[in-house]
Amino acid sequence: MYRTHTCGELRLSDKGKNVTLAGWVQRIRDKGKMIWIDIRDRYGITQLIFEQGKTDENILNTAKSFGREYVIQVTGKVIERYSKNPELPTGEIEIFVTELKILSKSEVPPFTIEDNTDGGEELRYKYRYLDLRRPELQRNMALRYRVAKEVRNYFDKHGFFEIETPYLIKSTPEGARDFIVPSRLHPGSFYALPQSPQTFKQLLMIAGYDRYFQIVKCFRDEDFRADRQPEFTQIDCEMAFVEQEDVLNMFEGMMKHLLKKVMNVEIDKFPRLTYDYAMEKYGSDKPDIRFEMLINDLTDLIKGKGFKVFDDSEYIGGIVVKNQAGVSRKVLDKFTNFVKQPQIGAKGLVYAKYNKDGTIKSSIDKFYTNNDWKAVFEQMEDKPQPDDLVLILSGNKQETLVQLGKLRLHVAEYFEMIDHSKFAPLWVVNFPLFEWDDEDQRFVAMHHPFTSPVPEDIELFDTDPGKMRANAYDMVLNGVEVGGGSIRIHDAEVQKKMFRALNLSEDEIEEKFGFIINAFRYGAPPHGGIAFGLDRIVALFAGTNSIRDVIAFPKNNAGRDIMLDSPSPVSPEQLKELHLEIKKPKN
Ligand code: ASP
């Protein structure tokens, strides 16, 4: 038997017992006459004690030879500690060691295995198995497991089946690029890895499995952006014989269940915001509602005083920052620089400080008097009070709203207005069906091409597709989109119309999507569903900004696995077998 107990288990009530532990050497304190060693496993840390004169000489010498991360097995007696450590669950006892064995030696680890490690990210990814020994990552892995388990508990209670769908499929574009896999046995042909099991779950509905879910890997070959992984995990779900309301209720229930069981947080009914409202008031389709500071439309209130920037703008919007009129010039410059960065793209920022004495100091005093400002403030929805700061952006409406949305988040972070212990979930509903792609000069599906329009809008396919509304919804938690889904098209003709609106030729429709359009001809029930990002949910629960912290073996920001050194070239023989030739990019 390697161990009688784990390293997190022993308490004062175990005093006097003879026990055997196995684990890694965390820390060695050699005081000459006395040596203390902390032994660690994933359950905790226990202190071992060796004492000259009392401990066997051989054992003492072996203990002195240990290095960090050696794997050892010790047998000894549980004794009461002289100086107790209240931070540690095992902090009242230690083990007086009577037998000792090295199970495995370790080289000096490249970074410290502690919550506050000295290892940089790349180094930690290269030695991820050491990184995973750190308590923080152990807690994250445990949390991830609990979330997945509670997802399964919830769906089990509601009669869902977890059904696996294939990973080697056919390229069926859903917005991103596919990863493709060459076939050895079919020269010149390729499988694709699924961007999501979208079409399969719909086929399962047609097959009659009316409540399906799957915790499943999805693959998207997208350009690198901070905190994107080429492979990630979805909680993929679908139901038949449902309307939007049924879907929202079922999956609101799931999130409430997770928050309750995993985080011990109870949430009332989730607010529902329309897409238009979210954009107009939060400048985002994933609003963070943990704080107020909504966007005010000033377009009709503020023009006409000779300030050309405003007078020429399609839209002018402002946010009211409570009690910050006293803010320094330096901070206002910071906010200005923030909105002017290329990623945000505003031309400038106008501010008005409503001083406590009732006067108003603004960056455009030349054009606006105190009374002009007061007249504007008076008509605003979120009426500024003395001591408030008003920040204003102007320009093209869509762009300015998005800029204001980003400024709103930035300012809230800056003034610490966000309660980070809070969970604020909501639904965004009534999305547009299409988005206009300026580059390709065509419509693209805002969600994906299987999303149903709201029935009243079906006629607009031929006349005004840009106006069509989708039967789609997103779940947002603390400003992060954690899930998205829709009621699906289940009629072959409507599905064809959809593909035509996306500029696909009849041949392309047949070649790429013939299988699902065909399936719609054999009794397709009305259906709809949603998919959640498991990595994002766990990251939010863990309180980390990066999904990489909740994935055991993540890729880095450039999509590389540093430990495996992947992606990497394959041998000429492998290429030959796959009937492939590599054209080296010219540089
Ligand atoms: N397949 C969709 C996605 O991955 C989710 C859904 O519509 O259920 O975004």
Side-chain angles (χ1 to χ4, degrees), residues 297-316:
D297 183 348
L298 307 177
T299 318
D300 296 333
L301 313 181
I302 206 168
K303 287 188 177 194
K305 300 284 172 197
F307 181 48
K308 223 173 134 30
V309 175
F310 280 177
D311 292 348
D312 292 350
S313 285
E314 179 194 4
Y315 174 87
I316 306 161

Side-chain angles (χ1 to χ4, degrees), residues 174 195-198 201 218 220 232 234 236-238 447-448 451 481 484-486 488 529-531:
E174 234 191 277
Q195 295 183 26
S196 87
Q198 184 60 35
K201 64 176 171 176
C218 300
R220 296 184 189 174
F232 58 97
Q234 281 191 344
D236 190 46
C237 318
E238 197 76 5
H447 186 47
H448 55 53
T451 296
E481 181 201 322
S486 57
R488 325 297 185 185
I530 190 165

Side-chain angles (χ1 to χ4, degrees), residues 406-462:
K406 291 180 178 158
L407 177 64
R408 173 181 176 269
L409 290 175
H410 182 74
V411 168
E413 280 294 357
Y414 184 85
F415 291 119
E416 296 179 358
M417 295 160 70
I418 305 175
D419 176 354
H420 285 281
S421 68
K422 201 166 156 179
F423 286 97
L426 61 102
W427 290 105
V428 177
V429 295
N430 286 5
F431 280 87
L433 190 61
F434 298 108
E435 237 173 339
W436 180 252
D437 185 332
D438 240 358
E439 215 169 284
D440 288 356
Q441 286 290 304
R442 66 177 188 101
F443 282 114
V444 293
M446 184 119 179
H447 186 47
H448 55 53
F450 309 103
T451 296
S452 165
V454 300
E456 307 89 273
D457 289 0
I458 289 202
E459 286 144 36
L460 298 176
F461 263 130
D462 303 319

Side-chain angles (χ1 to χ4, degrees), residues 300-481:
D300 296 333
L301 313 181
I302 206 168
K303 287 188 177 194
K305 300 284 172 197
F307 181 48
K308 223 173 134 30
V309 175
F310 280 177
D311 292 348
D312 292 350
S313 285
E314 179 194 4
Y315 174 87
I316 306 161
I319 52 175
V320 180
V321 195
K322 293 266 161 249
N323 305 321
Q324 294 298 347
V327 72
S328 72
R329 184 59 208 250
K330 217 169 111 202
V331 171
L332 288 166
D333 285 346
K334 261 196 200 156
F335 293 162
T336 307
N337 289 336
F338 173 81
V339 295
K340 280 167 111 176
Q341 314 169 72
Q343 309 93 286
I344 312 269
K347 297 220 172 56
L349 173 72
V350 168
Y351 66 80
K353 297 166 154 189
Y354 195 170
N355 296 320
K356 278 187 185 153
D357 64 9
T359 60
I360 293 155
K361 167 92 192 89
S362 83
S363 53
I364 46 174
D365 275 349
K366 257 207 261 170
F367 302 94
Y368 290 83
T369 65
N370 271 8
N371 282 342
D372 292 336
W373 280 117
K374 283 198 178 145
V376 173
F377 290 174
E378 205 34 54
Q379 294 179 74
M380 282 168 64
E381 227 170 296
D382 196 4
K383 287 188 189 36
Q385 304 298 318
D387 203 25
D388 289 351
L389 168 71
V390 184
L391 299 174
I392 302 172
L393 295 178
S394 63
N396 159 291
K397 181 166 181 185
Q398 274 317 310
E399 285 170 14
T400 307
L401 282 172
V402 172
Q403 292 160 0
L404 278 165
K406 291 180 178 158
L407 177 64
R408 173 181 176 269
L409 290 175
H410 182 74
V411 168
E413 280 294 357
Y414 184 85
F415 291 119
E416 296 179 358
M417 295 160 70
I418 305 175
D419 176 354
H420 285 281
S421 68
K422 201 166 156 179
F423 286 97
L426 61 102
W427 290 105
V428 177
V429 295
N430 286 5
F431 280 87
L433 190 61
F434 298 108
E435 237 173 339
W436 180 252
D437 185 332
D438 240 358
E439 215 169 284
D440 288 356
Q441 286 290 304
R442 66 177 188 101
F443 282 114
V444 293
M446 184 119 179
H447 186 47
H448 55 53
F450 309 103
T451 296
S452 165
V454 300
E456 307 89 273
D457 289 0
I458 289 202
E459 286 144 36
L460 298 176
F461 263 130
D462 303 319
T463 53
D464 198 356
K467 281 242 158 63
M468 294 179 79
R469 288 163 301 165
N471 219 333
Y473 32 79
D474 275 357
M475 188 191 284
V476 175
L477 179 57
N478 296 356
V480 176
E481 181 201 322

